[in-house]
Amino acid sequence: MKLEAFEYNLRQKIVPFAQSIIMNNGTHIPMLLTYDKDGKESGSELSNLFSVKDKNVLYSVLKQYLKDTESIAYVLINEAYMKKVSREEYEGMSQEQIDMMENMGISNDSQSIETLCITWQYKNEVTTGGIVSSPYSKENGCIVIDYANIIDSYDNETEARGRSVNLFD
């Protein structure tokens, strides 16, 4: 499977489909789509795994699964909270302070927003990954996606960090 085909499938099929699920159901179950070298897609529903309190364990299990299945690409779909922070907020902080800030729950933070988070990575002829984050809100009983503020970025552009990023590493 070539990168171009993978990214086309991601942006033209997976992202719109996941957005339609959240708009119709108000929620999206955590899912992992994996791809082998021939482009065969396999899907796993992860609700039970995502109920584990220690999220480090969850992502360790996912990393091992990707190794065991010899996947060359994955798409992880789940709901998350996002809070934009400036680079200046991190300047002068120790790594311990940064880790503590990143591990604090932001679901109750008034500046955080709910997002449909689609994290992906491809590792075949090249290695690349990214995040498509679709912010949404519940208004008058309906789910509204904020299309103007969708973030579709490559990890190397944003220096993305987090447990769900770079599961192949």
Side-chain angles (χ1 to χ4, degrees), residues 29-41:
I29 59 170
M31 289 187 66
L32 179 69
L33 303 173
T34 58
Y35 301 84
D36 67 14
K37 64 182 184 309
D38 297 320
K40 180 182 172 196
E41 180 182 79

Side-chain angles (χ1 to χ4, degrees), residues 29-79:
I29 59 170
M31 289 187 66
L32 179 69
L33 303 173
T34 58
Y35 301 84
D36 67 14
K37 64 182 184 309
D38 297 320
K40 180 182 172 196
E41 180 182 79
S42 298
S44 301
E45 188 269 324
L46 302 174
S47 293
N48 288 338
L49 185 59
F50 267 71
S51 67
V52 172
K53 295 272 187 229
D54 187 346
K55 299 305 181 203
N56 292 320
V57 170
L58 177 154
Y59 291 108
S60 293
V61 168
L62 290 178
K63 283 182 180 188
Q64 189 60 50
Y65 177 77
L66 292 170
K67 284 181 189 174
D68 292 348
T69 58
E70 298 179 0
S71 298
I72 64 152
Y74 71 86
V75 176
L76 178 62
I77 305 169
N78 65 315
E79 295 175 50

Side-chain angles (χ1 to χ4, degrees), residues 70-100:
E70 298 179 0
S71 298
I72 64 152
Y74 71 86
V75 176
L76 178 62
I77 305 169
N78 65 315
E79 295 175 50
Y81 285 90
M82 179 175 68
K83 178 180 177 182
K84 291 185 181 181
V85 294
S86 67
R87 191 172 299 268
E88 290 79 31
E89 288 182 66
Y90 282 96
E91 288 179 0
M93 290 179 132
S94 69
Q95 186 60 47
E96 183 179 321
Q97 289 171 313
I98 291 171
D99 291 342
M100 188 169 63

Side-chain angles (χ1 to χ4, degrees), residues 74-138:
Y74 71 86
V75 176
L76 178 62
I77 305 169
N78 65 315
E79 295 175 50
Y81 285 90
M82 179 175 68
K83 178 180 177 182
K84 291 185 181 181
V85 294
S86 67
R87 191 172 299 268
E88 290 79 31
E89 288 182 66
Y90 282 96
E91 288 179 0
M93 290 179 132
S94 69
Q95 186 60 47
E96 183 179 321
Q97 289 171 313
I98 291 171
D99 291 342
M100 188 169 63
M101 185 173 156
E102 290 176 348
N103 289 325
M104 288 175 22
I106 63 168
S107 60
N108 294 324
D109 188 320
S110 63
Q111 295 180 350
S112 68
I113 53 176
E114 289 183 278
T115 65
L116 174 65
C117 186
I118 301 173
T119 309
W120 62 273
Q121 192 173 15
Y122 176 91
K123 188 174 184 177
N124 198 16
E125 73 270 8
V126 296
T127 300
T128 188
I131 299 172
V132 180
S133 195
S134 303
Y136 67 91
S137 59
K138 296 173 183 154

